[in-house]
């Protein structure tokens, strides 16, 4: 069996010592929508003197989530919000509505997205693609204070 010529891979790099650096990021949302966290996560990586490894983000809530999505065309975020609203609409007869009609839909939207992200760090930088950004997705209509745990594991300078 031969390897297809359309594949390529860089040489492996090895981390000989693991350091774990943690921080908590607090974000005040304005209500439903996307908040770009990319610059703040990149600053955390710089402040940690990260070299090679991975950063994990974990949101400590059940009605907001994290995602990696396109950062070039704002229409993408509008369409994503539209899709989530179609999948989990308000006033669909949900039993759980303790905090209002957006309560249960927010939990469903979180389940459909992610509460944690894992991003490689290569040569001291996030290994995101050209058009990728890291977003907090607020699923509730009113503003909330959200906490995100950031943790880098790998080698540092």
């Amino acid at each position: 069996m031969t390897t297809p010529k359309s594949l390529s891979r860089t040489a492996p790099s090895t981390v000989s010592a693991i350091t774990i650096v943690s921080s908590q990021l607090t974000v005040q949302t304005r209500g439903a929508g996307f908040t770009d966290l990319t610059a703040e996560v990149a600053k955390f990586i710089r402040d940690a003197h990260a070299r090679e490894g991975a950063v994990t983000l974990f949101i400590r809530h059940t009605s907001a989530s994290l995602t990696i999505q396109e950062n070039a065309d704002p229409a993408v975020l509008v369409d994503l919000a539209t899709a989530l609203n179609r999948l989990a609409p308000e006033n669909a007869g949900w039993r759980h509505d303790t905090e209002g009609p957006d309560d249960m839909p927010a939990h469903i939207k979180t389940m459909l997205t992610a509460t944690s992200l894992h991003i490689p760090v290569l040569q001291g930088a996030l290994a995101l693609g050209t058009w990728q950004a890291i977003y907090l997705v607020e699923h509730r209509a009113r503003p909330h204070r959200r906490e995100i745990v950031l943790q880098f594991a790998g080698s540092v300078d």
Side-chain angles (χ1 to χ4, degrees), residues 25 27 29 33-41 57-59 64-78 80 84 113-117 119 126 128-139 146 148 150:
L25 175 62
V27 179
T29 69
F34 293 77
T35 302
D36 190 339
L37 304 178
T38 313
E40 193 60 39
V41 177
L57 291 78
F58 176 77
I59 191 162
S65 59
L66 301 167
T67 192
I68 295 175
Q69 274 300 328
E70 180 175 325
N71 63 4
D73 183 355
V76 169
L77 301 180
V78 172
L80 289 170
L84 287 172
T113 51
T115 55
S116 67
L117 300 173
I119 304 163
L126 294 168
L128 292 171
T130 302
W131 308 113
Q132 289 182 317
I134 303 164
Y135 294 98
L136 179 158
V137 190
E138 177 60 68
H139 301 299
R146 301 302 190 177
I148 300 163
L150 305 174

Side-chain angles (χ1 to χ4, degrees), residues 34-145:
F34 293 77
T35 302
D36 190 339
L37 304 178
T38 313
E40 193 60 39
V41 177
K43 183 178 183 317
F44 167 70
I45 293 301
R46 285 191 307 275
D47 291 348
H49 304 285
R51 194 75 207 130
E52 301 285 329
V55 63
T56 300
L57 291 78
F58 176 77
I59 191 162
R60 299 171 50 153
H61 304 279
T62 60
S63 58
S65 59
L66 301 167
T67 192
I68 295 175
Q69 274 300 328
E70 180 175 325
N71 63 4
D73 183 355
V76 169
L77 301 180
V78 172
D79 288 344
L80 289 170
T82 299
L84 287 172
N85 288 333
R86 287 179 181 161
L87 291 169
E90 290 185 20
N91 303 316
W94 309 114
R95 288 179 159 187
H96 177 72
D97 62 358
T98 306
E99 297 178 52
D102 68 339
D103 197 1
M104 191 61 214
H107 294 299
I108 294 168
K109 292 170 187 177
T110 297
M111 185 177 73
L112 293 171
T113 51
T115 55
S116 67
L117 300 173
H118 184 85
I119 304 163
V121 174
L122 302 173
Q123 299 176 5
L126 294 168
L128 292 171
T130 302
W131 308 113
Q132 289 182 317
I134 303 164
Y135 294 98
L136 179 158
V137 190
E138 177 60 68
H139 301 299
R140 300 301 306 272
R142 66 179 178 82
H144 279 78
R145 183 178 166 272

